[in-house]
Amino acid sequence: TLQKEESRPIAKINTPEISEMETAMQNQGLVNIQEIDKDILVDLKYSSTDNFFGEDVYGILENAYLQLPPAEALKKANQSLIETHHNLRLLIYDAARPHSIQTILWDKLDTIPPKNRKNFVADPKEGSIHNYGCAVDLTLFDLESNQALDMGTKYDYFGPLAYPRLEERMLLEGKLTSDQIANRKLLRDVMQNAGFDAITSEWWHFNYHSRKRAKELYEIVK
């Protein structure tokens, strides 16, 4: 049985206002994911106060953007999910992220030493793969119950419970359930089958390119 977490509202699709941030991403060739696949859901956490630092840093931006190849791969992932689980959809929490926002996120974690901080937020000096429009943070959403599936932690949970590499240990210690791990595995399976790579410290984060390759292909999103 797929367990769910608390219901939360889904962001409006295609807000009528266009922010400077959104215009800049469009000018760099990034695409609105929901124009590639209208069945993908979007709830940008940094366009609300429902995030780890409780501030809205995206303003009126409510659309998720990626470079075209990862956006098309995300559509492939969502469509394969629908084929096997008709009631489920991908729900995006963050996609392309301007470098200016990366600096804000980094600074918000100033209580964590920089060496350890890199486990949770990329150092702006190096740049995040999000900053090139080649990474996405997301979960699975159940249309029937109008809730995201239970993954064992909230998005941007900083700690071992969020680490895919520690799931078996967390299961043995009774800190994660087999259903929560099954939900994460389903997310990983659909994303990896579509060409994305998972990481070991965040169940929600997937890269389409390495940082090195993203830098070779694209300009950083300012």
Side-chain angles (χ1 to χ4, degrees):
T1 303
L2 295 171
Q3 294 186 345
K4 293 97 181 171
E5 65 177 18
E6 274 184 33
S7 177
R8 58 172 61 101
I10 301 304
K12 292 178 298 196
I13 296 175
N14 296 324
T15 175
E17 295 180 274
I18 301 295
S19 68
E20 290 182 12
M21 196 180 295
E22 191 159 4
T23 300
M25 288 192 283
Q26 291 174 348
N27 290 342
Q28 285 187 236
L30 281 76
V31 296
N32 181 341
I33 292 166
Q34 288 177 319
E35 291 182 359
I36 301 297
D37 185 348
K38 62 180 176 54
D39 290 324
I40 293 176
L41 302 173
V42 174
D43 181 15
L44 296 182
K45 290 302 183 185
Y46 303 136
S47 190
S48 73
T49 57
D50 182 21
N51 53 55
F52 73 90
F53 54 96
E55 296 177 24
D56 178 348
V57 290
Y58 278 173
I60 63 171
L61 177 68
E62 292 182 343
N63 296 313
Y65 282 80
L66 285 175
Q67 301 289 352
L68 182 58
E72 290 179 333
L74 201 63
K75 176 179 180 177
K76 178 181 176 182
N78 194 55
Q79 294 306 312
S80 69
L81 176 66
I82 292 171
E83 287 174 9
T84 56
H85 298 77
H86 303 297
N87 56 313
L88 298 184
R89 299 292 184 274
L90 297 180
L91 169 59
I92 297 173
Y93 288 149
D94 198 29
R97 180 190 304 156
H99 188 259
S100 58
I101 304 299
Q102 190 69 33
T103 301
I104 292 173
L105 302 190
W106 178 259
D107 292 343
K108 291 296 180 182
L109 288 176
D110 59 359
T111 57
I112 302 175
K115 183 179 177 181
N116 297 332
R117 206 182 311 179
K118 291 180 182 180
N119 290 328
F120 311 114
V121 175
D123 187 337
K125 293 176 183 175
E126 300 172 2
S128 166
I129 300 173
H130 280 290
N131 302 151
Y132 294 88
C134 296
V136 61
D137 296 341
L138 76 174
T139 191
L140 300 175
F141 191 85
D142 187 340
L143 296 177
E144 291 180 358
S145 64
N146 198 38
Q147 298 177 77
L149 297 192
D150 182 2
M151 299 293 186
T153 76
K154 291 189 67 173
Y155 170 60
D156 269 353
Y157 178 90
F158 302 126
L161 273 180
Y163 296 2
R165 69 175 182 265
L166 297 181
E167 285 170 356
E168 291 307 314
R169 193 182 97 188
M170 295 294 108
L171 178 64
L172 289 173
E173 294 178 1
K175 295 176 180 177
L176 286 177
T177 68
S178 57
D179 285 341
Q180 290 165 341
I181 292 175
N183 291 342
R184 292 183 184 191
K185 187 176 186 303
L186 176 59
L187 176 61
R188 285 197 294 269
D189 285 348
V190 297
M191 292 297 287
Q192 290 173 322
N193 288 339
F196 287 88
D197 292 321
I199 64 172
T200 63
S201 58
E202 298 174 343
W203 59 257
W204 55 82
H205 180 100
F206 294 86
N207 296 321
Y208 188 74
H209 289 301
S210 66
R211 183 186 285 109
K212 180 176 182 292
R213 184 60 175 154
K215 286 181 177 180
E216 290 171 353
L217 291 172
Y218 305 112
E219 294 294 319
I220 199 166
V221 178
K222 301 293 187 182

